[in-house]
Every structure is written in C-alpha cells, then in structure tokens.
Amino acid sequence: MNNDPRPLIAHVVYRFDTGGLENGVVNLINHMPADRYRHAVIALTEVTDFRERIERDDVQFFSLRKPPGQTFWIFPQLFRLFRQLRPAIVHSRNLAALETQLPAWLAGVPVRIHGEHGRDVGDLDGSNVAYQRIRRFYRPFVTFYLALSRDLAQYLNGIIHIPENKMLQVYNGVDTERFKPSRDRTPILGYPFSADEHWVIGTVGRMQTVKDQVTLAKAFARAVELVPELQSRIRLAIVGDGPLKPECLQILDGAGIGHLAWLPGERTDIPEIMQALDCFVLPSLAEGISNTILEAMASGLPVIATDVGGNADLVDSGITGEIIPPADCETMARSIVRYASDPDASNAVGCAGRQRVEQKFSLNAMVAAYQGIYDQLMHRSGALSQH
C-alpha cells in the first residue's frame, strides 16, 4: 500500500457504528473518485459491522479499544500508527476524536483537519467550560476546521477563537438515488400500516436522551387528544433502539394508543421506511447537520424539526416543513395535526423539500466540497508535490 501514489486520508472517529456522522464518512469514501485518494478509518474504540457499508475494497480499518475519558497513554499507539500509515491528511470528527490531532502533529502529518458535526449530550448549548478548554488546548495542532452548521461555525469562531481563515462551513449531502419518493411502496418486513388507510408520522435515530423521542411520543398522544377523529387514520413509527424505548412505549400505552404505534428497534432498510412515511419529525435537543432530515427531505416528506443546531439551515420553515422549539410537546402536536388534517398541502411541502435537497444538499455537492478542501490544503502544505 505504501507504494501506492494516491495520498492517504485517515478518518478518525470515536466509534465506527450506525450514526449520522459515520454515515457521512461512508458516503464520502464511497463517492469520492477512487483514483484520487486512499482512505483508512480509525476508531478510537471499535469498528463494527457498519464497515460493510463501505463499498471500496482498498479501505483499511483500525480499532484501538480505547476506554472512556482523555487517555494520554493512547498517544504512543496513535503516533506509531500514523508513522506506519504516513497519511497525507488526518481528519478527526467531533470532540471525542479531537485528541488524535496532537499525535498526528508529532508524527508529522502534513494536513490535520478537525470536523465539528454536532453537540455532545453533556454540552447541548456549547457552554461546557471543560469542553471549551479541551478544544482550545488542541487548537494549535489543527491545520483546518470544518463546521457542519452555522451554529457550530459561530461557536468555533466566537467561543474557541478559531480564525475564519482556518475554518469553513460545509453541509452534509444525501444520496438522492438511495433516498427518493416512491408511489409504489415496497412491502416492509413487520410494517403494520397501510398506505391506503393510514397517515404515518415517523422518526429515525438512536433512542437516547439527546434525540428526545419521548417528546414525540407525548406529542402524538396530544395530537390524538386534540383531534380524536384522527385516531382512525394517524399512526406513529419510531425507528431505532436505545434507553428511551421503554419510556416511549409506556407513554403510548398509558394514553391507550400503543396499538397506533410501531417501534421496531434498529433497522437497516431506512430508505424503504422513509418511503412508507407521510411526515418526518426530528425532536432532538441538539444536532449538527442532521442526515436524517436530509434523507426525509430527499424522500419527499414534510419535516417537523426542533430549532437546534443546523436544523434551521436545512428546513425552510413554512415551505419545506416546520421549525419548532425543542421539548415543546404542544407545538409539535399542533404541527402534526396541521399536516395530518391536510394531506395535499403536506405532500406539496414534501415536494418542496425534495427540490431543496436536489439544489443544495446533494451528495455530489458534499463530495466536491470535501475534495476541494483536501486538494487545497494538500497543495498549501506542499504534501501534494510529495505524492
């Protein structure tokens, strides 16, 4: 591999498993021209079966089995790995992988990029002073920063004091061939609802506190309470697994509407599930740039999303969906009722979302942006002439 003339990009994440950030890495590697760069994925903890989503057979994977916390003892291991691989670029993502920038600098990696993709569950508003100090400590070792939303770019510039010439905001892209509207809904294993009889609200994501599916469960119950006649038609799908699942089931059963909901756990057939929905809700308490919002918009769905992170960058409120306050059950319920009560208007909003994705958030646009940044920084560092 060392004789390969293509420069190597080492993508560093905390854990390579199902998730929006990781899905972005997969899309980038799969769609970037193979003759331009080689790729390696380094997980500080573990590389899971999610690696099978990467279609190229020349990608290397490394699991470092790191325990939780800032552990400096892993630096020699990273240093040796970087010296062995000799990447032209190390691209770390989010705070949990930021510490790799120091050993990358020590190992002489020419270009060191750090991406901020979203808020940590312990720092939903960016005010955690310890996290700010960690980011400032590693700041000298980072060549360039990528922020995936205006919110994160403002945080890096205003709070962490990253100069604007060392930072760029770049949006995620979505595969508009994989995620697209469908009139002929593919039968889905275990799916209990009928396209002819039911109007289905859904969400997809890990069922953890930061994703706040509990508020969606409460809002669904409240929507049925506000307009009882919707009960014969409206349905709820919460796709994903995690600690919030039992609480959501308890809320729905307690309201006597458990039979109107489907909580199948984690699924791999997300494009087909998106096509089976009529409206998408993202109830998160924090986000970067949400891949699931982009996937829902690409699938032609109106989107109800909380006003956190980059959600308002994606959803044009009143045109492609609604932006609502986080943890606001009543407003979410009324938005659900409004769309459920007027399916034609809801479909028109979904079509507008699809058009917006095609114009601004395509996968091709994302890959071109990343490749342009990689090329520019390689050229600036002189690494390009070495390959």
Side-chain angles (χ1 to χ4, degrees):
M1 275 297 215
N2 287 343
N3 296 325
D4 195 313
R6 296 172 301 166
L8 175 67
I9 302 171
H11 304 270
V12 187
V13 297
Y14 184 72
R15 177 181 168 87
F16 197 60
D17 199 0
T18 305
L21 181 160
E22 296 80 6
N23 194 57
V25 176
V26 168
N27 283 335
L28 184 61
I29 292 173
N30 284 345
H31 291 87
M32 187 173 284
D35 62 353
R36 188 64 196 87
Y37 288 100
R38 290 180 294 129
H39 301 270
V41 175
I42 300 171
L44 298 186
T45 55
E46 184 183 8
V47 173
T48 72
D49 291 344
F50 187 71
R51 63 183 285 175
E52 293 169 9
R53 289 279 310 279
I54 289 181
E55 296 162 1
R56 289 174 54 169
D57 58 8
D58 62 344
V59 178
Q60 298 171 281
F61 297 90
F62 301 90
S63 300
L64 303 189
R65 314 285 178 194
K66 170 186 178 294
Q70 290 276 311
T71 43
F72 289 103
W73 65 262
I74 201 173
F75 284 7
Q77 186 180 2
L78 281 163
F79 175 83
R80 288 191 298 271
L81 182 59
F82 291 142
R83 294 292 272 183
Q84 172 197 331
L85 294 176
R86 306 194 68 80
I89 298 170
V90 164
H91 185 165
S92 60
R93 288 163 169 88
N94 273 356
L95 180 64
L98 176 58
E99 61 188 332
T100 59
Q101 292 289 331
L102 177 52
W105 173 76
L106 288 169
V109 176
V111 177
R112 302 170 304 279
I113 300 171
H114 181 68
E116 290 286 345
H117 288 242
R119 299 284 189 205
D120 189 271
V121 69
D123 189 26
L124 297 182
D125 60 358
S127 64
N128 187 306
V129 175
Y131 290 173
Q132 292 175 11
R133 286 174 178 158
I134 291 169
R135 286 186 168 93
R136 290 188 192 122
F137 174 80
Y138 287 104
R139 185 177 56 194
F141 310 109
V142 180
T143 309
F144 202 77
Y145 288 82
L146 296 177
L148 267 72
S149 70
R150 285 178 295 182
D151 168 62
L152 290 168
Q154 289 164 2
Y155 170 77
L156 287 174
N157 182 235
I159 305 297
I160 311 303
H161 308 306
I162 307 301
E164 290 187 0
N165 65 353
K166 284 191 64 175
M167 179 177 64
L168 195 68
Q169 193 215 319
V170 57
Y171 286 116
N172 275 350
V174 62
D175 188 338
T176 52
E177 282 302 307
R178 189 163 177 253
F179 290 91
K180 58 187 176 183
S182 174
R183 292 184 180 179
D184 305 317
R185 294 182 173 177
T186 308
I188 298 171
L189 182 66
Y191 189 71
F193 307 136
S194 162
D196 298 327
E197 299 174 27
H198 301 132
W199 195 87
V200 186
I201 302 143
T203 195
V204 176
R206 298 184 306 276
M207 297 193 70
Q208 296 174 338
T209 304
V210 70
K211 298 299 183 183
D212 196 24
Q213 290 93 341
V214 167
T215 292
L216 174 57
K218 291 177 180 176
F220 181 74
R222 177 62 176 149
V224 171
E225 185 180 35
L226 287 169
V227 187
E229 56 267 31
L230 283 176
Q231 187 166 155
S232 63
R233 199 167 57 85
I234 199 170
R235 296 293 184 266
L236 174 66
I238 299 179
V239 178
D241 217 341
L244 294 189
K245 187 175 178 181
E247 188 177 352
C248 288
L249 288 168
Q250 188 177 10
I251 289 165
L252 295 164
D253 289 338
I257 55 171
H259 62 291
L260 306 183
W262 182 54
L263 284 77
E266 189 174 326
R267 302 278 296 213
T268 57
D269 53 348
I270 302 304
E272 292 75 22
I273 286 173
M274 287 288 191
Q275 290 176 347
L277 303 179
D278 296 287
C279 178
F280 184 84
V281 181
L282 192 78
S284 301
L285 299 175
E287 282 290 341
I289 285 292
S290 168
N291 281 299
T292 49
I293 283 182
L294 292 175
E295 290 164 0
M297 290 169 64
S299 302
L301 301 178
V303 174
I304 300 168
T306 48
D307 191 8
V308 298
N311 289 354
D313 292 13
L314 307 182
V315 179
D316 194 351
S317 198
I319 297 175
T320 66
E322 297 292 336
I323 293 291
I324 63 171
D328 187 339
C329 171
E330 187 69 21
T331 301
M332 187 180 291
R334 293 186 182 277
S335 295
I336 289 169
V337 166
R338 189 158 54 250
Y339 283 131
S341 301
D342 193 347
D344 289 340
S346 171
N347 288 339
V349 169
C351 288
R354 171 72 187 188
Q355 289 176 342
R356 182 166 164 80
V357 160
E358 289 174 337
Q359 292 165 1
K360 193 168 183 180
F361 302 112
S362 73
L363 205 53
N364 287 341
M366 181 196 79
V367 171
Y370 275 99
Q371 185 169 338
I373 291 161
Y374 293 151
D375 289 349
Q376 182 182 355
L377 293 175
M378 287 270 292
H379 181 78
R380 190 187 301 174
S381 72
L384 203 60
S385 61
Q386 300 169 24
H387 289 85

